[in-house]
Amino acid sequence: RETESLFAQAVELRPNRYWYYSMWALWKMFCLGQEWAHNASAEFERAAEFLRQATRKNSQDALARAIYGHFQSFWRRSLDHGRALLDESLHLNPYSPFAWMLSSATSSYSGRPEVALEELERSRELCPVEPHFEFMFNSAMCIAHLFRHDADQAAEWGRRTLQENPGFTNGHKQ
């Protein structure tokens, strides 16, 4: 609740700061994945609206496009739309390790785990993962190995995910 209040205050104070909408949407997606949302369908639609607002307010914002692309491919199951948004994001900013990590998930979902692993390597080369976000990178590695049908590596990366963040529910789902 406190996080929601802080995002609402930020948007109220600076309604044209597109970055706030992107981060709020990312927070909503995380809450949906953790099953913390009281009304999942309403939160899903709010996340979508925040992403539409972010990209409307700044059509050149690579991070907003990357988050929106992940939303489209993972939550909406629209792999083509998600891929297009992620490609636009990476065209706008090919140096975003976070965008490469999100892109890897869509590559995995699209049946291209080898490409996903290359994208994760590019992400790691651009910037070592900050310790408090390591679980997200490890989860993406687990997903890529799952789609690669490499159960041993998937299990290893899944264990790493849970070691980094035992409360991350996707670590248990994989």
Side-chain angles (χ1 to χ4, degrees):
R1 289 188 159 195
E2 185 177 350
T3 303
E4 287 291 316
S5 175
L6 292 171
F7 275 121
Q9 288 175 23
V11 166
E12 185 177 318
L13 289 171
R14 303 282 173 107
N16 291 321
R17 294 276 172 101
Y18 55 89
W19 188 83
Y20 297 162
Y21 294 94
S22 298
M23 292 300 105
W24 200 352
L26 187 61
W27 171 248
K28 294 266 179 221
M29 290 164 48
F30 188 80
C31 290
L32 285 164
Q34 291 292 102
E35 299 178 359
W36 294 342
H38 297 291
N39 182 341
S41 63
E43 296 300 302
F44 179 89
E45 291 307 322
R46 286 191 76 205
E49 180 53 31
F50 290 151
L51 289 165
R52 283 190 292 273
Q53 288 183 38
T55 54
R56 268 194 304 252
K57 290 177 184 298
N58 183 350
S59 64
Q60 300 299 302
D61 181 36
L63 183 60
R65 290 210 173 289
I67 295 168
Y68 202 5
H70 183 66
F71 179 83
Q72 287 297 325
S73 64
F74 182 74
W75 291 103
R76 291 247 194 246
R77 307 292 194 256
S78 178
L79 295 175
D80 291 340
H81 189 200
R83 176 82 275 147
L85 288 163
L86 285 156
D87 287 348
E88 290 172 15
S89 168
L90 292 168
H91 176 75
L92 290 166
N93 181 4
Y95 303 105
S96 171
F98 191 70
W100 283 109
M101 183 190 65
L102 292 178
S103 183
S104 78
T106 295
S107 293
S108 291
Y109 307 146
S110 299
R112 299 177 5 206
E114 298 302 329
V115 171
L117 291 169
E118 290 170 12
E119 290 170 329
L120 287 165
E121 182 60 31
R122 182 168 292 164
S123 173
R124 180 78 78 183
E125 286 172 0
L126 286 169
C127 181
V129 180
E130 294 182 42
H132 53 280
F133 291 119
E134 186 78 21
F135 74 97
M136 294 172 75
F137 181 87
N138 292 347
S139 180
M141 287 292 283
C142 178
I143 291 166
H145 286 290
L146 280 171
F147 279 88
R148 191 176 184 213
H149 305 289
D150 186 342
D152 292 337
Q153 280 297 303
E156 175 58 30
W157 287 102
R159 276 191 290 278
R160 290 183 190 188
T161 300
L162 292 173
Q163 286 172 342
E164 293 295 325
N165 189 339
F168 183 54
T169 60
N170 280 351
H172 298 280
K173 295 173 190 173
Q174 297 166 3

